[in-house]
Amino acid sequence: MHCPYCRHPDSRVVDSREADEGAAIRRRRACPECGRRFTTVETAVLSVVKRSGVTEPFSREKVVRGVARACQGRDVDNDALNKLAQQVEDTIRAKGSPEVPSHEVGLAILGPLRDLDEVAYLRFASVYRSFSSAEDFEREISELRQHQSRRVPDAD
């Protein structure tokens, strides 16, 4: 690690701690040349492989933007969108692979979005799954109703 002050090519780790609920490591470092201290944050890189074969870093912001489009005009706040994006990232990271196909990101979005807002879910699913007819919507609505009936606890 190069010192950001004197550009010395080495540094010594003084302290390491978990950050972002274990998703990153915060390291306090000291430069043996100039003696100044600085902090680095290390995270595991998560890459998304698009259909075209291009690989790009996973972006929570991109998930939020895509879901926000589906939620346009709905009563969904930014905190809920950020929480959903965090759930998606956690789901993807839990797979343990440094590279995931973009298709898996879409699948990871569908579950939390269904629970967040049904209309937004149908909008997102219609684009993601390339609905081409009213029957596609009817089938998805039927599955949505089945999912709801499994979620509703008994009123005993």
Side-chain angles (χ1 to χ4, degrees):
M1 183 85 216
H2 288 276
C3 173
Y5 303 106
C6 71
R7 303 297 301 153
H8 185 70
D10 198 15
S11 63
R12 182 174 59 86
V13 175
V14 177
D15 182 42
S16 292
R17 296 177 188 207
E18 283 187 5
D20 284 338
E21 299 172 358
I25 297 174
R26 179 187 164 276
R27 297 196 195 280
R28 197 69 183 130
R29 297 176 175 270
C31 175
E33 186 70 24
C34 69
R36 295 180 80 175
R37 291 184 174 207
F38 56 97
T39 301
T40 60
V41 178
E42 300 173 18
T43 58
V45 175
L46 180 60
S47 298
V48 176
V49 181
K50 301 182 100 173
R51 281 185 225 142
S52 65
V54 174
T55 301
E56 66 180 41
F58 175 82
S59 168
R60 248 190 255 171
E61 292 76 26
K62 196 168 179 180
V63 171
V64 168
R65 280 195 311 270
V67 173
R69 260 185 260 128
C71 292
Q72 195 169 12
R74 306 292 300 158
D75 188 23
V76 177
D77 64 7
N78 285 337
D79 288 341
L81 293 177
N82 288 323
K83 183 179 177 186
L84 183 141
Q86 179 64 53
Q87 288 176 302
V88 170
E89 183 174 359
D90 291 346
T91 300
I92 299 288
R93 285 193 184 276
K95 294 186 184 293
S97 176
E99 290 187 349
V100 294
S102 59
H103 178 74
E104 287 189 27
V105 176
L107 291 175
I109 290 171
L110 287 172
L113 184 56
R114 180 180 51 217
D115 296 335
L116 179 66
D117 187 277
E118 295 170 351
V119 173
Y121 167 78
L122 285 172
R123 289 175 178 171
F124 188 89
S126 71
V127 173
Y128 180 72
R129 293 186 173 151
S130 303
F131 287 7
S132 59
S133 67
E135 287 81 25
D136 293 336
F137 279 95
E138 289 171 353
R139 184 178 57 253
E140 196 66 39
I141 290 169
S142 173
E143 289 177 19
L144 189 58
R145 287 185 176 138
Q146 288 176 353
H147 175 75
Q148 286 174 329
S149 67
R150 288 189 299 254
R151 282 185 57 211
V152 176
D154 292 325
D156 288 319

